[in-house]
């Protein structure tokens, strides 16, 4: 994807996840998700914290050590939707700033181009939008172009994800699977 396509896909994925956040009912925050050991609140907190990292890493040039434990723990407080919205707007703005995608960012696994980081964040938002949809009983269908973009992002390193301990083993998709189903199966989900 070129830079405009990366930014557009990232913005759409963030908006998609946010639309699901705003449909979580008060009685659903403790509900389980397809992510082992994560409640709906844990999942939304994870994505919110991920967005809070973006300005620090992309705009400020911080390292993981610089951020330290600042973004550990609960970030959602008493108004998870509002906190998500602020974090999402800040992340999109940081990636969209002139020259931002040309920078190098310092991630937990080493330095990476910000454009690659943005694409990873897009894929993460797409997959977790499905997770959140399933957990709260929302529409699990996601835009095909976002599923395709996320699949293209994840496929090259999918075999390494299992070793991280953060993903379940891949599931064999049906022969006629669409890109969303293939993506989810690759990441150990059972659509």
């Amino acid at each position: 994807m070129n830079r405009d396509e990366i930014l557009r896909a990232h913005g759409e994925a963030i908006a998609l996840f946010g639309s699901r956040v705003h449909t979580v009912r008060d009685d659903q925050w403790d509900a389980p998700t397809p992510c082992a050991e994560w409640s709906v609140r844990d999942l939304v907190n994870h994505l919110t914290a991920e967005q809070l990292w973006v300005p620090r890493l992309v705009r400020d040039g911080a390292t993981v050590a610089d951020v330290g434990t600042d973004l550990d723990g609960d970030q959602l407080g008493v108004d998870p939707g509002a906190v998500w919205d602020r974090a999402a707007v800040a992340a999109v703005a940081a990636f969209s700033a002139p020259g931002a995608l040309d920078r190098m960012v310092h991630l937990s696994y080493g330095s990476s181009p910000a454009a690659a980081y943005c694409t990873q964040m897009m894929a993460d938002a797409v997959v977790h939008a499905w997770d959140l949809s399933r957990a709260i009983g929302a529409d699990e269908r996601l835009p095909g172009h976002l599923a395709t973009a996320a699949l293209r992002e994840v496929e090259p390193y999918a075999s390494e994800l299992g070793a991280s301990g953060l993903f379940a083993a891949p599931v064999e998709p049906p022969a006629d699977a669409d890109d969303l189903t293939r993506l989810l199966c690759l990441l150990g989900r059972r659509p």
Side-chain angles (χ1 to χ4, degrees), residues 14-182:
I14 295 300
L16 175 67
F17 187 82
S19 72
R20 298 311 194 262
V21 170
H22 287 286
T23 62
V24 177
R25 295 187 322 259
D26 288 343
D27 65 339
Q28 292 179 312
W29 288 102
D30 292 326
T33 70
C35 303
E37 301 179 20
W38 276 0
S39 68
V40 166
R41 186 176 181 90
D42 296 330
L43 176 63
V44 173
N45 187 66
H46 164 72
L47 253 290
T48 301
E50 289 289 316
Q51 303 322 302
L52 293 171
W53 276 92
V54 174
R56 302 281 301 271
L57 299 177
V58 176
R59 183 193 64 214
D60 302 340
T63 65
V64 172
D66 293 335
V67 176
T69 59
D70 292 356
L71 300 174
D72 288 356
D74 182 67
Q75 301 297 315
L76 299 179
V78 297
D79 192 351
V83 174
W84 161 261
D85 288 343
R86 286 190 300 274
V89 166
V92 169
F95 278 129
S96 299
L101 293 186
D102 297 320
R103 297 179 187 139
M104 292 298 288
V105 292
H106 308 286
L107 305 173
S108 59
Y109 56 82
S111 294
S112 172
Y117 176 44
C118 186
T119 306
Q120 291 167 9
M121 294 291 282
M122 172 276 301
D124 199 39
V126 169
V127 172
H128 287 316
W130 181 86
D131 292 331
L132 185 54
S133 297
R134 172 143 300 181
I136 65 172
D139 188 355
E140 295 177 16
R141 294 172 297 172
L142 305 181
H145 67 283
L146 287 180
T148 299
L151 179 62
R152 286 185 183 145
E153 166 60 26
V154 171
E155 277 180 321
Y157 55 81
S159 63
E160 301 166 19
L161 295 176
S164 72
L166 301 174
F167 296 88
V171 175
E172 187 66 33
D176 62 346
D178 62 12
D179 283 349
L180 178 60
T181 301
R182 291 177 51 224

